[in-house]
Amino acid sequence: MSNDDDQYGGAGGYGEVGGTGQTRTRFPDPPADPYGPVRRTPRTSRSLITVVGVVVLLIAAIAFANSAPDTPSDPASDKPPTDSSTAATGANPVTGKSAGIPKGFAHDEQGAQSAAANFAVALGSDGMFKKNSRHALVEAIFAPDVAARAKAPQDEAYSADFLAKMGLDANGNAPQGSTFVTRTVPIGTRVESYTPTRAKIAVWYTGLIGMSGTKSTDPVRTLWGTWTFELGWIGEDWKVIDETQQDGPAPVPGDVPVSTSDDMSKAIKEFGGFTYAR
């Protein structure tokens, strides 16, 4: 496994730079609540740790018809789409699971991409912060020899000191009245290389990490990164042999106001996560 580290990381109104003929710079208003007064949290080195989650993007688009506005519409185009025209692409979803993770991926490029996306979701979940569930995830995702070697270093990485920095107790539990969130949402996958026995798949993802609560000093924030998996076809399924991460690509932040801790906690509890098998 790779030991690459992942790091996560005033005044309201408007300000001006210069006078006549110079550039006017608009500064955004501060968030209404980022869980109380603005606080900074030390950046945490995350060896062998994968923590990510969900970002909501709102995209508006205007679609124009192929014909000019004054061209009579083709009656055939008004017919409802057929089942085949709206069917999802890709192979049927896998039906098996191991430690809550889909298994039995197709033995082809698409199967490798689906496996990598699902592995990113699982390894970026809060299950990685509790020893028993972490071991189960590692055993289900990694090649047997890799999983055996990974457990001890990961247990050391998820130490009581590290968990405390995340606002969790030694068992990975959040304080009463607070909600810990870490989720991964794959944006897309890319095949770096593929053979029937070995595949290298990059997963571009976004996510959430942090603690939601009125006393939180580590508010939930968004992440963007690329997670690359070396997969091997082992025991009739794809398994992770190695993995690395890097930051980005990251888009320009949107204009959606920061939510309060109450709204964030409710959303985390009310909106379940997804798996990505297809």
Side-chain angles (χ1 to χ4, degrees):
M1 294 182 60
S2 169
N3 291 331
D4 289 4
D5 290 347
D6 293 327
Q7 294 184 328
Y8 303 102
Y14 304 95
E16 294 186 7
V17 177
T20 304
Q22 292 184 306
T23 303
R24 293 165 57 89
T25 303
R26 172 174 175 165
F27 297 95
D29 293 335
D33 176 3
Y35 314 172
V38 175
R39 289 164 283 201
R40 296 289 181 183
T41 304
R43 295 166 69 87
T44 308
S45 178
R46 321 276 321 255
S47 176
L48 292 170
I49 290 183
T50 55
V51 203
V52 284
V54 177
V55 169
V56 179
L57 300 178
L58 301 179
I59 303 177
I62 300 176
F64 293 94
N66 290 330
S67 57
D70 55 352
T71 302
S73 62
D74 179 0
S77 66
D78 297 329
K79 295 179 180 179
T82 63
D83 289 344
S84 60
S85 67
T86 58
T89 59
N92 290 332
V94 297
T95 56
K97 282 191 176 183
S98 176
I101 307 164
K103 68 175 184 178
F105 297 99
H107 193 186
D108 54 24
E109 287 191 15
Q110 180 182 287
Q113 291 177 75
S114 293
N118 277 274
F119 295 160
V121 172
L123 292 172
S125 71
D126 56 5
M128 291 294 289
F129 286 78
K130 297 182 179 181
K131 185 174 181 178
N132 289 341
S133 57
R134 178 169 64 250
H135 285 189
L137 289 171
V138 170
E139 290 172 358
I141 290 172
F142 289 88
D145 59 329
V146 178
R149 296 194 305 268
K151 290 178 185 177
Q154 284 192 338
D155 289 346
E156 184 178 349
Y158 286 93
S159 64
D161 180 61
F162 168 73
L163 294 174
K165 290 178 180 178
M166 299 301 295
L168 304 169
D169 67 18
N171 295 315
N173 298 311
Q176 186 174 3
S178 296
T179 304
F180 178 65
V181 59
T182 167
R183 292 189 185 180
T184 307
V185 178
I187 302 298
T189 57
R190 180 180 65 219
V191 178
E192 302 284 345
S193 62
Y194 178 82
T195 70
T197 58
R198 197 77 174 253
K200 185 176 183 180
I201 308 295
V203 181
W204 180 32
Y205 67 83
T206 184
L208 294 179
I209 176 66
M211 185 77 71
S212 179
T214 56
K215 296 181 180 179
S216 172
T217 59
D218 187 24
V220 179
R221 57 201 181 278
T222 58
L223 305 171
W224 289 88
T226 300
W227 207 333
T228 303
F229 294 94
E230 293 273 0
L231 304 176
W233 184 252
I234 301 170
E236 300 303 311
D237 209 352
W238 293 107
K239 298 291 183 180
V240 175
I241 297 173
D242 197 7
E243 51 87 15
T244 57
Q245 288 198 67
Q246 66 184 50
D247 293 338
V252 175
D255 298 327
V256 180
V258 175
S259 297
T260 64
S261 59
D262 257 357
D263 287 342
M264 185 61 68
S265 294
K266 288 177 182 177
I268 294 164
K269 293 174 181 176
E270 294 173 357
F271 292 87
F274 296 100
T275 57
Y276 287 79
R278 56 181 180 173

